[in-house]
mmCIF file with all atom_site columns, all heavy atoms in Angstrom:
data_model
loop_
_atom_site.group_PDB
_atom_site.id
_atom_site.type_symbol
_atom_site.label_atom_id
_atom_site.label_alt_id
_atom_site.label_comp_id
_atom_site.label_asym_id
_atom_site.label_entity_id
_atom_site.label_seq_id
_atom_site.pdbx_PDB_ins_code
_atom_site.Cartn_x
_atom_site.Cartn_y
_atom_site.Cartn_z
_atom_site.occupancy
_atom_site.B_iso_or_equiv
_atom_site.pdbx_formal_charge
_atom_site.auth_seq_id
_atom_site.auth_comp_id
_atom_site.auth_asym_id
_atom_site.auth_atom_id
_atom_site.pdbx_PDB_model_num
ATOM   1  N  N   . CYS A 1 10 ? 78.303 164.881 -167.418 1.00 0.00 ? 31  CYS A N   1
ATOM   2  C  CA  . CYS A 1 10 ? 79.330 164.431 -168.362 1.00 0.00 ? 31  CYS A CA  1
ATOM   3  C  C   . CYS A 1 10 ? 80.013 165.660 -168.956 1.00 0.00 ? 31  CYS A C   1
ATOM   4  O  O   . CYS A 1 10 ? 79.686 166.795 -168.605 1.00 0.00 ? 31  CYS A O   1
ATOM   5  C  CB  . CYS A 1 10 ? 78.701 163.558 -169.436 1.00 0.00 ? 31  CYS A CB  1
ATOM   6  S  SG  . CYS A 1 10 ? 77.517 164.427 -170.484 1.00 0.00 ? 31  CYS A SG  1
ATOM   7  N  N   . HIS A 1 11 ? 80.930 165.471 -169.887 1.00 0.00 ? 32  HIS A N   1
ATOM   8  C  CA  . HIS A 1 11 ? 81.680 166.601 -170.430 1.00 0.00 ? 32  HIS A CA  1
ATOM   9  C  C   . HIS A 1 11 ? 80.827 167.536 -171.269 1.00 0.00 ? 32  HIS A C   1
ATOM   10 O  O   . HIS A 1 11 ? 80.933 168.754 -171.180 1.00 0.00 ? 32  HIS A O   1
ATOM   11 C  CB  . HIS A 1 11 ? 82.865 166.092 -171.268 1.00 0.00 ? 32  HIS A CB  1
ATOM   12 C  CG  . HIS A 1 11 ? 83.747 167.189 -171.745 1.00 0.00 ? 32  HIS A CG  1
ATOM   13 N  ND1 . HIS A 1 11 ? 83.715 167.673 -173.030 1.00 0.00 ? 32  HIS A ND1 1
ATOM   14 C  CD2 . HIS A 1 11 ? 84.666 167.934 -171.079 1.00 0.00 ? 32  HIS A CD2 1
ATOM   15 C  CE1 . HIS A 1 11 ? 84.581 168.659 -173.145 1.00 0.00 ? 32  HIS A CE1 1
ATOM   16 N  NE2 . HIS A 1 11 ? 85.175 168.824 -171.970 1.00 0.00 ? 32  HIS A NE2 1
ATOM   17 N  N   . CYS A 1 12 ? 79.922 166.987 -172.090 1.00 0.00 ? 33  CYS A N   1
ATOM   18 C  CA  . CYS A 1 12 ? 79.087 167.834 -172.968 1.00 0.00 ? 33  CYS A CA  1
ATOM   19 C  C   . CYS A 1 12 ? 77.881 168.407 -172.241 1.00 0.00 ? 33  CYS A C   1
ATOM   20 O  O   . CYS A 1 12 ? 77.116 169.159 -172.837 1.00 0.00 ? 33  CYS A O   1
ATOM   21 C  CB  . CYS A 1 12 ? 78.665 167.051 -174.212 1.00 0.00 ? 33  CYS A CB  1
ATOM   22 S  SG  . CYS A 1 12 ? 77.384 165.809 -173.902 1.00 0.00 ? 33  CYS A SG  1
ATOM   23 N  N   . GLN A 1 13 ? 77.692 168.040 -170.974 1.00 0.00 ? 34  GLN A N   1
ATOM   24 C  CA  . GLN A 1 13 ? 76.591 168.522 -170.134 1.00 0.00 ? 34  GLN A CA  1
ATOM   25 C  C   . GLN A 1 13 ? 75.228 167.963 -170.540 1.00 0.00 ? 34  GLN A C   1
ATOM   26 O  O   . GLN A 1 13 ? 74.193 168.418 -170.057 1.00 0.00 ? 34  GLN A O   1
ATOM   27 C  CB  . GLN A 1 13 ? 76.522 170.069 -170.134 1.00 0.00 ? 34  GLN A CB  1
ATOM   28 C  CG  . GLN A 1 13 ? 77.790 170.737 -169.621 1.00 0.00 ? 34  GLN A CG  1
ATOM   29 C  CD  . GLN A 1 13 ? 77.979 170.550 -168.126 1.00 0.00 ? 34  GLN A CD  1
ATOM   30 O  OE1 . GLN A 1 13 ? 77.125 170.897 -167.337 1.00 0.00 ? 34  GLN A OE1 1
ATOM   31 N  NE2 . GLN A 1 13 ? 79.096 169.958 -167.748 1.00 0.00 ? 34  GLN A NE2 1
ATOM   32 N  N   . GLY A 1 14 ? 75.236 166.989 -171.471 1.00 0.00 ? 35  GLY A N   1
ATOM   33 C  CA  . GLY A 1 14 ? 73.967 166.402 -171.893 1.00 0.00 ? 35  GLY A CA  1
ATOM   34 C  C   . GLY A 1 14 ? 73.337 165.555 -170.803 1.00 0.00 ? 35  GLY A C   1
ATOM   35 O  O   . GLY A 1 14 ? 72.124 165.500 -170.679 1.00 0.00 ? 35  GLY A O   1
ATOM   36 N  N   . VAL A 1 15 ? 74.181 164.872 -170.031 1.00 0.00 ? 36  VAL A N   1
ATOM   37 C  CA  . VAL A 1 15 ? 73.689 164.044 -168.925 1.00 0.00 ? 36  VAL A CA  1
ATOM   38 C  C   . VAL A 1 15 ? 74.040 164.739 -167.623 1.00 0.00 ? 36  VAL A C   1
ATOM   39 O  O   . VAL A 1 15 ? 75.194 165.120 -167.401 1.00 0.00 ? 36  VAL A O   1
ATOM   40 C  CB  . VAL A 1 15 ? 74.321 162.628 -168.950 1.00 0.00 ? 36  VAL A CB  1
ATOM   41 C  CG1 . VAL A 1 15 ? 73.731 161.784 -167.824 1.00 0.00 ? 36  VAL A CG1 1
ATOM   42 C  CG2 . VAL A 1 15 ? 74.115 161.965 -170.299 1.00 0.00 ? 36  VAL A CG2 1
ATOM   43 N  N   . LEU A 1 58 ? 70.559 160.022 -173.881 1.00 0.00 ? 79  LEU A N   1
ATOM   44 C  CA  . LEU A 1 58 ? 71.963 160.005 -174.321 1.00 0.00 ? 79  LEU A CA  1
ATOM   45 C  C   . LEU A 1 58 ? 72.750 158.846 -173.707 1.00 0.00 ? 79  LEU A C   1
ATOM   46 O  O   . LEU A 1 58 ? 73.860 158.545 -174.149 1.00 0.00 ? 79  LEU A O   1
ATOM   47 C  CB  . LEU A 1 58 ? 72.656 161.317 -173.935 1.00 0.00 ? 79  LEU A CB  1
ATOM   48 C  CG  . LEU A 1 58 ? 72.266 162.559 -174.729 1.00 0.00 ? 79  LEU A CG  1
ATOM   49 C  CD1 . LEU A 1 58 ? 72.898 163.803 -174.098 1.00 0.00 ? 79  LEU A CD1 1
ATOM   50 C  CD2 . LEU A 1 58 ? 72.720 162.422 -176.180 1.00 0.00 ? 79  LEU A CD2 1
ATOM   51 N  N   . CYS A 1 79 ? 77.860 158.586 -171.542 1.00 0.00 ? 100 CYS A N   1
ATOM   52 C  CA  . CYS A 1 79 ? 77.222 159.490 -172.497 1.00 0.00 ? 100 CYS A CA  1
ATOM   53 C  C   . CYS A 1 79 ? 77.610 159.089 -173.916 1.00 0.00 ? 100 CYS A C   1
ATOM   54 O  O   . CYS A 1 79 ? 78.795 159.011 -174.237 1.00 0.00 ? 100 CYS A O   1
ATOM   55 C  CB  . CYS A 1 79 ? 77.643 160.931 -172.215 1.00 0.00 ? 100 CYS A CB  1
ATOM   56 S  SG  . CYS A 1 79 ? 77.004 162.103 -173.426 1.00 0.00 ? 100 CYS A SG  1
ATOM   57 N  N   . ARG A 1 81 ? 77.292 160.830 -176.517 1.00 0.00 ? 102 ARG A N   1
ATOM   58 C  CA  . ARG A 1 81 ? 77.770 161.984 -177.293 1.00 0.00 ? 102 ARG A CA  1
ATOM   59 C  C   . ARG A 1 81 ? 79.226 162.305 -176.972 1.00 0.00 ? 102 ARG A C   1
ATOM   60 O  O   . ARG A 1 81 ? 80.051 162.420 -177.869 1.00 0.00 ? 102 ARG A O   1
ATOM   61 C  CB  . ARG A 1 81 ? 76.888 163.205 -177.012 1.00 0.00 ? 102 ARG A CB  1
ATOM   62 C  CG  . ARG A 1 81 ? 77.178 164.372 -177.920 1.00 0.00 ? 102 ARG A CG  1
ATOM   63 C  CD  . ARG A 1 81 ? 76.020 165.349 -177.996 1.00 0.00 ? 102 ARG A CD  1
ATOM   64 N  NE  . ARG A 1 81 ? 75.690 165.904 -176.692 1.00 0.00 ? 102 ARG A NE  1
ATOM   65 C  CZ  . ARG A 1 81 ? 74.529 166.508 -176.418 1.00 0.00 ? 102 ARG A CZ  1
ATOM   66 N  NH1 . ARG A 1 81 ? 73.599 166.620 -177.335 1.00 0.00 ? 102 ARG A NH1 1
ATOM   67 N  NH2 . ARG A 1 81 ? 74.294 166.989 -175.209 1.00 0.00 ? 102 ARG A NH2 1
ATOM   68 N  N   . CYS A 1 82 ? 79.599 162.425 -175.691 1.00 0.00 ? 103 CYS A N   1
ATOM   69 C  CA  . CYS A 1 82 ? 80.972 162.814 -175.340 1.00 0.00 ? 103 CYS A CA  1
ATOM   70 C  C   . CYS A 1 82 ? 81.807 161.640 -174.827 1.00 0.00 ? 103 CYS A C   1
ATOM   71 O  O   . CYS A 1 82 ? 83.018 161.765 -174.692 1.00 0.00 ? 103 CYS A O   1
ATOM   72 C  CB  . CYS A 1 82 ? 80.972 163.953 -174.328 1.00 0.00 ? 103 CYS A CB  1
ATOM   73 S  SG  . CYS A 1 82 ? 80.350 163.518 -172.693 1.00 0.00 ? 103 CYS A SG  1
ATOM   74 N  N   . GLY A 1 83 ? 81.170 160.495 -174.542 1.00 0.00 ? 104 GLY A N   1
ATOM   75 C  CA  . GLY A 1 83 ? 81.925 159.308 -174.176 1.00 0.00 ? 104 GLY A CA  1
ATOM   76 C  C   . GLY A 1 83 ? 82.296 159.186 -172.713 1.00 0.00 ? 104 GLY A C   1
ATOM   77 O  O   . GLY A 1 83 ? 82.926 158.202 -172.320 1.00 0.00 ? 104 GLY A O   1
ATOM   78 N  N   . VAL A 1 84 ? 81.931 160.157 -171.895 1.00 0.00 ? 105 VAL A N   1
ATOM   79 C  CA  . VAL A 1 84 ? 82.310 160.109 -170.482 1.00 0.00 ? 105 VAL A CA  1
ATOM   80 C  C   . VAL A 1 84 ? 81.431 159.119 -169.720 1.00 0.00 ? 105 VAL A C   1
ATOM   81 O  O   . VAL A 1 84 ? 80.212 159.131 -169.843 1.00 0.00 ? 105 VAL A O   1
ATOM   82 C  CB  . VAL A 1 84 ? 82.221 161.519 -169.843 1.00 0.00 ? 105 VAL A CB  1
ATOM   83 C  CG1 . VAL A 1 84 ? 82.308 161.450 -168.323 1.00 0.00 ? 105 VAL A CG1 1
ATOM   84 C  CG2 . VAL A 1 84 ? 83.324 162.401 -170.398 1.00 0.00 ? 105 VAL A CG2 1
HETATM 85 ZN ZN1 . ZN  B 2 .  ? 78.075 164.000 -172.743 1.00 0.00 ? 7   ZN  B ZN1 1
#
Side-chain angles (χ1 to χ4, degrees):
C31 64
H32 185 258
C33 74
Q34 300 289 304
V36 183
L79 288 172
C100 176
R102 189 159 60 198
C103 68
V105 167

